[in-house]
Amino acid sequence: MDAKELDVLYRTHVDELEQSYASTLDRLGWDAVVIHSGSLVKRSEFDDQFWPLRPTPAFQHWLPLVEADAGVVVRPGHRTRLFRTVSETFWERPPKPESQAFEDAFEPAGGRDWRQIRDHLGPGRVAFIGEQRGNGPACVDDRAQVNPTDLTHALDALRTRKTPYELGCLVEANRRASVGHETLRKAFREIEASEMDLHLAYLQATGQDDGETPYKNIVALGRNASTLHHIAYGRRPAQGGGSLLVDAGAVCRGYCADITRTWVKGNGAAATSFEALVCGVEAMQQRLCALARANLSYEALHDESHRHVAQVLRDAGLARGSTDELVDGGITRAFYPHGLGHSLGLQTHDVGCALRKPRQDNPFLRNTSDIAPRQVFTIEPGIYFIPELLEALRARPEGHLVDWTTVSALSPFGGVRIEDDVYVGDSGAVRNLTRETLPAGGGRV
Ligand SMILES: [Mn+2]
């Protein structure tokens, strides 16, 4: 889908959002809401530098503008207004948005500071959704309730149902990230590169600056893959064989792709065994994608993934025992401690599908919703050799179910994770957005 087609879909997106907001505000008894874009955050209290702005997701839902202390005023029955603070600084300018299509989608609400937003609020109950720092929010109307829980949760939930425009952005973000992943697969095959080299090659291939990526690239060679979020890039090139885990995304108009691939190269029995493990996880990930469908609870799919992990551990010679023994005894949780995935959209870990707490034995699960049409979420099982977790398991009676010789042989490869982004269609069936441009999840390079 090209930029023009996305611009056309954007107008329908704004119309749909106005309707959804109107019914949400009416249901919860609000007359108007101000959505704040966010304020700049200092890197440290001891100097004068700021982090790049990460706009609030509720603001980005309306438009892809990365400008501090801007606001959208939504008042059902009136045209939605866009308020942009006139910056007094001459040191920096905000980045130019990828598309200007938003410019005629709103009524401008000109002004220099937030006090002027009051003129557009009208009578009744007013809510403010945003951050409380900088010189914006403090000046909004005294009546305004800041981040009321009912409305915040309702708007979070609204973002989990993607419009055709949002789906188009997520497809494009996946296409962009695929280019980076394919570049790193080839680089890992052909040259002896360090984690830093690979990280920079990914930014180059995807045309992103480090601060623009949806999350810090995770680039891990060998043992480093056992650190789930390895971002302290090594400067020394990997030599000979080994493994590469890359968890990296791309953005289109604020919408995030989140993709993980694991590759192996080199000769020897250990590399061959690790390759078999990667292929086992790849097959399992595809089975889990096929099981996802509307009306199934995501947590049930997560529980199912533990039963699949038990089978992969047995096939790889890492553990023995029944599926129940391996799952109930905590063996699968020592090798696979994180959740199966999370909702995805304007936030890499979109909070709208995590409004319920997971069960106590799934502490890191970030999606506890029932799978529903128009959701986008990740499916990302993994198996890792994390020293702390495996040492703790070895000290427990259940430790005898693990083949510790195989664990030591495979530990230098760190671990494997394979992650795709999927969309639930109106029919309830799942469409894998990642595999459309990046068909292989991992294996030998
Ligand atoms: Mn993820």
Side-chain angles (χ1 to χ4, degrees):
M1 188 173 296
D2 65 22
K4 276 212 178 91
E5 290 172 285
L6 278 182
D7 285 348
V8 172
L9 288 178
Y10 173 72
R11 293 308 299 260
T12 321
H13 168 75
V14 173
D15 291 345
E16 193 173 320
L17 210 48
E18 280 181 335
Q19 286 168 25
S20 312
Y21 262 62
S23 58
T24 303
L25 293 173
D26 181 56
R27 177 164 56 83
L28 300 174
W30 296 97
D31 296 292
V33 58
V34 179
I35 309 286
H36 176 221
S37 67
S39 300
L40 289 177
V41 179
K42 265 194 176 182
R43 290 169 66 116
S44 152
E45 274 309 311
F46 300 95
D47 66 26
D48 58 358
Q49 294 187 41
F50 292 83
W51 292 109
L53 179 73
R54 189 56 66 120
T56 62
F59 181 83
Q60 283 195 296
H61 205 190
W62 287 95
L63 70 165
L65 189 65
V66 183
E67 263 178 40
D69 295 320
V72 167
V73 183
V74 188
R75 196 177 155 208
H78 297 76
R79 261 195 93 187
T80 304
R81 287 184 181 269
L82 173 61
F83 181 89
R84 297 169 81 170
T85 310
V86 178
S87 170
E88 312 259 318
T89 180
F90 50 84
W91 293 101
E92 287 168 30
R93 298 267 176 257
K96 208 168 159 251
E98 205 176 311
S99 158
Q100 307 291 334
F102 67 88
E103 282 185 343
D104 50 1
F106 302 96
E107 191 76 28
R112 291 192 95 76
D113 69 57
W114 273 84
R115 277 176 288 262
Q116 282 159 291
I117 272 193
R118 293 177 188 172
D119 304 341
H120 306 293
L121 295 178
R125 286 183 82 214
V126 176
F128 172 88
I129 305 284
E131 294 179 330
Q132 292 182 280
R133 54 185 164 222
N135 51 12
C139 303
V140 91
D141 197 295
D142 295 337
R143 282 177 300 158
Q145 277 193 47
V146 177
N147 299 327
T149 311
D150 63 345
L151 187 57
T152 308
H153 283 181
L155 298 182
D156 288 344
L158 203 58
R159 290 197 309 278
T160 65
R161 276 178 63 83
K162 269 60 178 182
T163 63
Y165 163 74
E166 296 181 286
L167 175 61
C169 291
L170 286 158
V171 167
E172 173 60 14
N174 266 270
R175 189 198 62 75
R176 291 175 186 179
S178 296
V179 176
H181 278 276
E182 188 53 14
T183 300
L184 292 210
R185 183 184 70 81
K186 286 190 183 138
F188 181 60
R189 185 181 63 194
E190 284 152 23
I191 58 171
E192 295 197 331
S194 70
E195 290 167 347
M196 179 62 104
D197 295 333
L198 294 165
H199 163 65
L200 294 174
Y202 187 91
L203 294 178
Q204 172 91 44
T206 53
Q208 299 177 102
D209 194 2
D210 192 42
E212 294 171 333
T213 56
Y215 54 97
K216 189 105 181 88
N217 291 341
I218 295 164
V219 182
L221 288 166
R223 269 182 212 278
N224 289 342
S226 71
T227 302
L228 298 178
H229 290 168
H230 176 74
I231 54 171
Y233 314 122
R235 265 57 169 189
R236 198 174 306 160
Q239 276 162 12
S243 62
L244 169 68
L245 185 154
V246 180
D247 182 345
V251 175
C252 172
R253 303 187 186 201
Y255 290 86
C256 306
D258 180 3
I259 302 173
T260 309
R261 293 294 184 256
T262 306
W263 301 105
V264 54
K265 69 173 179 180
N267 304 315
T272 306
S273 300
F274 186 71
E275 181 189 351
L277 180 66
V278 173
C279 293
V281 173
E282 162 74 340
M284 159 174 75
Q285 195 267 3
Q286 290 290 278
R287 285 199 302 276
L288 292 166
C289 288
L291 286 172
R293 59 185 154 70
N295 301 321
L296 179 69
S297 102
Y298 192 90
E299 193 159 21
L301 189 61
H302 169 84
D303 289 337
E304 180 66 16
S305 74
H306 274 277
R307 293 189 277 277
H308 289 245
V309 165
Q311 183 60 45
V312 176
L313 290 175
R314 277 194 302 259
D315 292 347
L318 285 162
R320 60 196 155 73
S322 71
T323 297
D324 286 347
E325 277 177 300
L326 295 177
V327 175
D328 300 339
I331 286 89
T332 59
R333 278 176 171 77
F335 284 97
Y336 165 45
H338 59 72
L340 176 63
H342 50 85
S343 180
L344 182 71
L346 292 160
Q347 297 169 288
T348 304
H349 294 154
D350 203 5
V351 296
C353 284
L355 296 174
R356 272 200 305 261
K357 269 201 162 82
R359 257 194 356 256
Q360 219 164 25
D361 53 342
N362 294 326
F364 303 112
L365 183 62
R366 292 189 175 102
N367 186 348
T368 51
S369 70
D370 289 334
I371 297 174
R374 292 171 54 170
Q375 283 182 352
V376 171
F377 50 80
T378 68
I379 296 190
E380 49 178 311
I383 290 178
Y384 313 85
F385 304 98
I386 302 172
E388 297 85 339
L389 299 183
L390 293 178
E391 277 158 29
L393 173 60
R394 196 168 190 168
R396 290 170 39 212
E398 292 84 0
H400 79 277
L401 295 169
V402 173
D403 183 321
W404 295 104
T405 311
T406 308
V407 168
S408 337
L410 296 187
S411 288
F413 298 89
V416 42
R417 172 163 71 253
I418 294 174
E419 172 179 33
D420 291 337
D421 306 340
V422 306
Y423 169 77
V424 186
D426 285 321
S427 69
V430 155
R431 170 181 166 195
N432 190 320
L433 307 182
T434 307
R435 302 274 171 158
E436 291 175 5
T437 45
L438 198 62
R444 191 162 280 271
V445 281

